[in-house]
Amino acid sequence: AMEDVCAKFVSQKISKARWRPLPAAALQPPDLFATGSWDNEDNRISLWSVGDLGNVGLNGEYQGEPQLLCDIRHNGDVMDMQFLDQERIVVASSTGTVTVFRHHQNNQTLSANQQWEKAHYHVDQDTSCGGAACTGVICNNPEIITVGEDGRINLFRADQKDAVRTIDNADSSTLHAVTFLRTTEILTVNSIGQLKIWDLRQQRNEPSQIFSLTGDRVPLHCVDRHPNQQHIVATGGQDGMLSIWDIRQGTMPVSLLNAHEAEMWEVHFHPSNPDHLFTCSEDGSLWHWDTSTDVSEKPSFLHQGGRSTTYFSHNTINQSVISAWLSNDPTKDRMEITNLIPNQTLSVNSLDVLGPCLAYGTDAEAIYVNRHLFA
Amino acid sequence: PAAVPSQVVPGADPSARQLCFAWGPAEVLVCETLFGRRGGSLSPGEPGLGRALVPGALTGCGVAGSGEGAPSSSRVFVVRKDQDIYIQTLRKLFNESHGIFIGLQRSEEELAGKSRKAQLVQVSKNYRSVMRACMEDMHQAAISARDPALHSQYSTQVSILSAMELIWNLCEILFVEAATAGPLLLRLLDWVRLHVCDVDNMVREVLSSENPPKHELFWNVVDVFVLQGRLDEARHLLSREASADPTSVNMYRVLDDLMKKMPVPTLGNTQTLTEMELKWQHWHEECQRYLQNGTFASNSHMESICKILLGDEDAILEKKELMTTWYHFLVTRLLYSHPTVKPMELRMDLFLGGESSPEPLDTILMAAFEFEMHQVIKECSIALSNWWFVAHLTDLLDHCKLLQSHNLYFGSNMREFLLLEYASGLFSHHSLWQLGVDYFDHCPQYGRVYLELHIERIPLNTEQKALKVLRICEQRQMHEQVRSICKIMAMKALRNNRLGSALSWSIRAKDAAFATLISDRFLKDYCERGCFSDLDLIDNLGPSMLLSDRLTFLGKYREFHRLYGEKRFSEAAKLLLMLMTAHIAPCSFWMTLLTDALPLLEQKEVVFSAEQTYELMRCLEDLTAGKSEKQKFQDDEVETTKVEMLRLALARNLARVIVKEGTLEGS
């Protein structure tokens, strides 16, 4: 419900918002998220608390707005951001630099912990200028993978100074986003509507598979993989279209869903409740895609902050969930779509979901938190 | 008429150099010319670093020609008009009010009468609550600021915001809500209570003391309540004094009764104006009677309160210190000397500090009380260092249909003029430019032109930012700007040797000439390296291949290589020949194509038919015949050898194919 949303104007355009991951056995909902800004003369990484620091209402409900814990200057626009672990955040910069920031919880400060300068660059890495924007980053501690406008893919390890591996000219167009398919395979999307799989075990500097949108070569901006069924992949495009791919078969998307009226900047399956998917867009909207509407047939999979359940693989439910995302016309029978922002104006650049919590940031210089997503 | 405030540009020294200037949408350029002043000092002043001024955007631009001035570099100053745009803490105000503004533009004009008015009042209140929230933040910032300079800067901002809110609130009451008679008075009383906060501390101190009636400021607080029309609170306080002083119980009872009976206007339409007048007359006479028969003679405090109830100007003015401002006095006077009083008849000079000219705030409020809406906007424009206030207020008043007949001798109308100024200020800011777009959208006459001029000047440091700017242009069918942005991005990509990206951008802009240029680069790279780069792009051109002839050729030529690689020789041969005969390939590339034919001519199986071989021969002869003797002479030996080899290969192929075709015919 809308009344559960807290907003805070932060005097900087927000390009990224990410919840801090929860420890494995945590029962509490997430209480801390990070944001990054863009297009400021002075960009910042900020950490926000939404937990016990705020006011608690009479019935124990949290009411306050996010509180700033600490922040630090960041050189260039924050293009992407991922938590490496509980304390470290990897940040991709428009200058091409990739930085790992550490959050010191004892005195609430942030510091730069590790930095790869000009991990992405044009022409020559050593010249004073020529950094190319790093557009995407994904981590699987200690591995960090970055992609950029230079069409390059870098593989770093948090504890090593030099890149473990670099694929120069991996893509002739701009790589917009990256995610893990399996521990050794990654997915990238680019500005000519292609989805590529890269197998990092192979030394060949070629993708192992290329999928593409037919016809108009609409650029793809974001990609996410279903947390339980790794062959289901969602991407978002420049035209606002949501594409669902089954990477086991064919080279084209299984379904194309009309969604936003402008660039879809991010798409996220809910990590522990993947019947739910969230997308946000340049048109100022944030959509909640729900395939679990037929409640009578299925138990609820919602676990606050819990790890993804293994329930699926041993149960007949499995089949119906697969078909929920892969059926040819999902809008027809079982998908419920809600716009979570009624009076949209400027772009919603980023969102993140974890447990019952949603956080998002906009070009209208505000961050929003909803702590009762499924209420 | 008020004097036009002058502004000094620090660093620009008109006594040393002659200056010239040019007006821009939100900025003025002031340039030093080469021409010095005869007899003037020639040393240029130090550039200032004032907030209103960003010097040195084009420092040291050489000006050719000889003048009397020193040959040293000239400077260009960029003078900006909207200072407040750059205040960090006000960004919340700009962003939040942007949402309200958009809501107002989208709101239903059809809503009739009352509900429309309620809607507009709500919008006005929303704007005010944003101002208040911002003021609160600024106040907190002032408290926590350690640096005294910073502290005073924040405090100044708090008082400016507070003045803005005060003016806005009065305009809301008088113009937006346009309350009349009784309800108007109630609104004005609320307004005074909300904004005259100087006495709040005193009230709090007395009320929280152990025994308020014994407090030395007790009567002051009672007076404050009476002056602000808070009669219930005054009575409550008096009742405590009465119980402490049994000798004058009767006096207290009478005064309490008078205060209780005072007719107050109601917000609903339960009583008519005449009814109210009658009651008022009756009550007034009763007060008069008690005063004249000396009921309160023994207590000067109560006597003066009774006089105030009667609207006695001297009695009210005696409490000047408790009202602090003339507008409090005005409202109190209105309350007790019902029915009407004109602002100009009030002795406000007593508040305005003698002969010195009135403060801008006083002038503005005075103009509002006189319903001089345009004067209010004009004075605010001069007094405030931002366009935010006047732009939003004027827009709201315009939606109330209060400004329609007023056209300016320049631009379109006042609303649009002010919105354009404000939005231009936003565009001059590093990150607030996105907000400006929507304001331009709602300026019917010049908004589009302004947007076109401003949007092209946004620096595009990442592709993502370019995409955002592009989206703005595409949504508004600004084709010229779309082309220009794509071209800039394509050029950047080309400079960075990112041919694939460059091609993508020119395809997006449908820029055929640029696509041709990039295709040539691809072909050149191929000729030099013998292999194609960026195959993932070239293999997936699809229909966009038709954008330019050269791009078509690039795509088809790559297709030839693929067919060849897949050993589909006859298809490859057919395509290769077609590229030349249909004139898809540029002439400069024919030799490469013919050389590509060599391995096909040498295949074990005959690939080219007799007819195709003749065509190939003709292509070769056309190519060599087209060259002058001189060119031929200049061609290096490699080229000559190539031609010889081709002739030989073609002749041999012809021989083989004639034999083969003859054999086939014969069988």
Side-chain angles (χ1 to χ4, degrees), chain B residues 471-599:
Chain B
R471 173 63 60 183
I472 290 168
C473 297
E474 282 178 346
Q475 276 169 347
R476 289 157 184 81
Q477 275 94 45
M478 293 160 61
H479 306 297
E480 195 53 48
Q481 285 68 29
V482 168
R483 245 196 313 279
S484 128
I485 291 164
C486 289
K487 189 146 204 160
I488 291 168
M489 296 312 288
M491 280 302 288
K492 270 190 185 176
L494 196 61
R495 253 201 323 273
N496 291 327
N497 252 337
R498 300 277 304 149
L499 294 188
S501 278
L503 191 56
S504 281
W505 283 108
S506 51
I507 289 171
R508 178 149 183 191
K510 300 197 170 49
D511 188 338
F514 210 76
T516 299
L517 187 93
I518 296 163
S519 308
D520 281 341
R521 275 280 296 269
F522 270 117
L523 293 170
K524 188 171 145 251
D525 282 4
Y526 168 75
C527 289
E528 284 166 7
R529 283 189 269 163
C531 65
F532 280 105
S533 61
D534 304 321
L535 285 180
D536 52 347
L537 175 72
I538 301 171
D539 283 346
N540 286 286
L541 285 172
S544 55
M545 195 194 282
L546 301 172
L547 179 60
S548 96
D549 291 348
R550 201 60 48 83
L551 192 58
T552 315
F553 170 64
L554 176 65
K556 289 286 170 196
Y557 185 50
R558 161 62 194 157
E559 200 179 317
F560 160 75
H561 277 263
R562 207 177 54 231
L563 291 171
Y564 185 86
E566 288 165 9
K567 298 203 188 308
R568 292 153 71 183
F569 295 129
S570 70
E571 284 166 83
K574 206 171 148 197
L575 181 58
L576 187 72
L577 194 59
M578 189 269 283
L579 288 175
M580 284 182 284
T581 52
H583 290 276
I584 296 171
C587 284
S588 59
F589 217 76
W590 280 29
M591 188 46 93
T592 314
L593 292 182
L594 287 167
T595 318
D596 283 334
L598 264 179

Side-chain angles (χ1 to χ4, degrees), chain A residues 48-241:
Chain A
W48 306 88
S49 152
V50 288
D52 40 17
L53 280 179
N55 310 318
V56 174
L58 284 175
N59 42 6
E61 246 179 329
Y62 173 78
Q63 291 175 328
E65 56 181 24
Q67 304 287 323
L68 180 68
L69 282 179
C70 50
D71 62 354
I72 190 168
R73 247 192 106 152
H74 178 260
N75 196 13
D77 293 347
V78 173
M79 302 293 289
D80 200 5
M81 189 161 71
Q82 292 291 330
F83 273 91
L84 185 64
D85 53 27
Q86 290 276 308
E87 292 180 331
R88 287 177 295 173
I89 316 163
V90 187
V91 180
S93 166
S94 60
T95 61
T97 298
V98 177
T99 314
V100 182
F101 289 98
R102 183 181 282 277
H103 174 213
H104 305 276
Q105 303 188 33
N106 47 354
N107 59 357
Q108 293 302 349
T109 52
L110 276 166
S111 68
N113 179 241
Q114 162 88 294
Q115 194 164 60
W116 294 280
E117 263 183 60
K118 268 192 239 166
H120 293 270
Y121 60 95
H122 289 303
V123 191
D124 185 2
Q125 198 167 12
D126 300 322
T127 51
S128 59
C129 53
C134 175
T135 52
V137 57
I138 190 78
C139 318
N140 185 12
N141 195 10
E143 285 181 338
I144 298 166
I145 289 167
T146 67
V147 296
E149 280 185 14
D150 55 358
R152 199 170 264 116
I153 299 176
N154 285 312
L155 169 60
F156 299 106
R157 287 178 72 93
D159 47 6
Q160 284 179 28
K161 201 168 158 285
D162 295 312
V164 177
R165 183 164 176 208
T166 295
I167 307 177
D168 289 326
N169 237 335
D171 203 305
S172 61
S173 48
T174 295
L175 287 169
H176 281 148
V178 57
T179 194
F180 273 106
L181 179 59
R182 299 180 188 89
T183 44
T184 56
E185 280 176 294
I186 56 164
L187 290 165
T188 60
V189 289
N190 69 11
S191 64
I192 55 169
Q194 294 171 328
L195 171 70
K196 297 182 182 176
I197 302 179
W198 305 80
D199 188 340
L200 298 173
R201 287 167 303 189
Q202 296 188 357
Q203 283 311 305
R204 234 159 40 98
N205 288 343
E206 300 278 324
S208 51
Q209 244 180 310
I210 301 181
F211 303 83
S212 66
L213 295 171
T214 45
D216 294 338
R217 315 173 344 123
V218 178
L220 294 174
H221 286 292
C222 49
V223 56
D224 196 25
R225 187 212 63 194
H226 192 289
N228 307 119
Q229 279 130 18
Q230 301 183 332
H231 56 277
I232 303 178
V233 171
T235 62
Q238 184 147 290
D239 52 0
M241 195 87 87

Side-chain angles (χ1 to χ4, degrees), chain A residues 13 172 238 349 363 365, chain B residues 91 95 434 468 508 536:
Chain A
K13 293 197 276 196
S172 61
Q238 184 147 290
N349 293 325
D363 273 344
E365 306 193 340
Chain B
R91 282 173 70 158
N95 276 290
Q434 270 173 302
K468 280 175 181 268
R508 178 149 183 191
D536 52 347

Side-chain angles (χ1 to χ4, degrees), chain A residues 20-31 86 272 302-307 354-357 371:
Chain A
R20 179 174 68 182
L22 293 165
L27 293 170
Q28 267 83 40
D31 56 357
Q86 290 276 308
S272 55
L302 175 64
H303 301 285
Q304 295 204 340
R307 294 271 313 273
L354 186 59
C357 299
R371 308 237 298 168

Side-chain angles (χ1 to χ4, degrees), chain B residues 321-587:
Chain B
E321 305 306 324
L322 296 177
M323 292 184 287
T324 66
T325 63
W326 61 268
Y327 43 90
H328 188 339
F329 169 58
L330 171 71
V331 175
T332 306
R333 186 74 214 282
L334 272 171
L335 176 63
Y336 293 113
S337 46
H338 189 85
T340 54
V341 64
K342 280 187 185 158
M344 290 321 288
E345 290 166 8
L346 290 161
R347 288 154 58 191
M348 284 182 299
D349 51 321
L350 286 165
F351 285 89
L352 299 180
E355 59 266 41
S356 63
S357 58
E359 292 285 313
L361 180 60
D362 297 319
T363 325
I364 293 163
L365 294 177
M366 206 97 81
F369 274 120
E370 285 164 27
F371 286 85
E372 293 280 359
M373 230 173 293
H374 292 105
Q375 194 64 25
V376 172
I377 292 163
K378 185 185 153 192
E379 297 286 345
C380 289
S381 306
I382 294 171
L384 296 168
S385 53
N386 65 66
W387 290 110
W388 178 88
F389 183 83
V390 278
H392 288 86
L393 181 62
T394 310
D395 174 62
L396 178 61
L397 295 178
D398 191 73
H399 276 87
C400 298
K401 311 231 178 277
L402 293 169
L403 294 168
Q404 277 156 336
S405 62
H406 194 80
N407 279 310
L408 300 172
Y409 61 89
F410 52 90
S412 54
N413 59 31
M414 185 144 72
R415 172 187 171 274
E416 178 158 333
F417 173 78
L418 294 170
L419 286 177
L420 290 174
E421 286 296 322
Y422 174 61
S424 297
L426 291 173
F427 259 94
S428 73
H429 189 276
H430 193 270
S431 29
L432 291 172
W433 57 272
Q434 270 173 302
L435 300 177
V437 177
D438 288 311
Y439 287 92
F440 283 142
D441 278 351
H442 291 100
C443 294
Q445 204 166 348
Y446 294 106
R448 168 89 180 201
V449 185
Y450 268 63
L451 182 59
E452 286 173 357
L453 286 174
H454 278 293
I455 204 93
E456 285 190 324
R457 286 158 177 78
I458 299 292
L460 305 171
N461 50 326
T462 63
E463 289 194 9
Q464 177 140 347
K465 188 168 176 184
L467 289 174
K468 280 175 181 268
V469 177
L470 210 51
R471 173 63 60 183
I472 290 168
C473 297
E474 282 178 346
Q475 276 169 347
R476 289 157 184 81
Q477 275 94 45
M478 293 160 61
H479 306 297
E480 195 53 48
Q481 285 68 29
V482 168
R483 245 196 313 279
S484 128
I485 291 164
C486 289
K487 189 146 204 160
I488 291 168
M489 296 312 288
M491 280 302 288
K492 270 190 185 176
L494 196 61
R495 253 201 323 273
N496 291 327
N497 252 337
R498 300 277 304 149
L499 294 188
S501 278
L503 191 56
S504 281
W505 283 108
S506 51
I507 289 171
R508 178 149 183 191
K510 300 197 170 49
D511 188 338
F514 210 76
T516 299
L517 187 93
I518 296 163
S519 308
D520 281 341
R521 275 280 296 269
F522 270 117
L523 293 170
K524 188 171 145 251
D525 282 4
Y526 168 75
C527 289
E528 284 166 7
R529 283 189 269 163
C531 65
F532 280 105
S533 61
D534 304 321
L535 285 180
D536 52 347
L537 175 72
I538 301 171
D539 283 346
N540 286 286
L541 285 172
S544 55
M545 195 194 282
L546 301 172
L547 179 60
S548 96
D549 291 348
R550 201 60 48 83
L551 192 58
T552 315
F553 170 64
L554 176 65
K556 289 286 170 196
Y557 185 50
R558 161 62 194 157
E559 200 179 317
F560 160 75
H561 277 263
R562 207 177 54 231
L563 291 171
Y564 185 86
E566 288 165 9
K567 298 203 188 308
R568 292 153 71 183
F569 295 129
S570 70
E571 284 166 83
K574 206 171 148 197
L575 181 58
L576 187 72
L577 194 59
M578 189 269 283
L579 288 175
M580 284 182 284
T581 52
H583 290 276
I584 296 171
C587 284

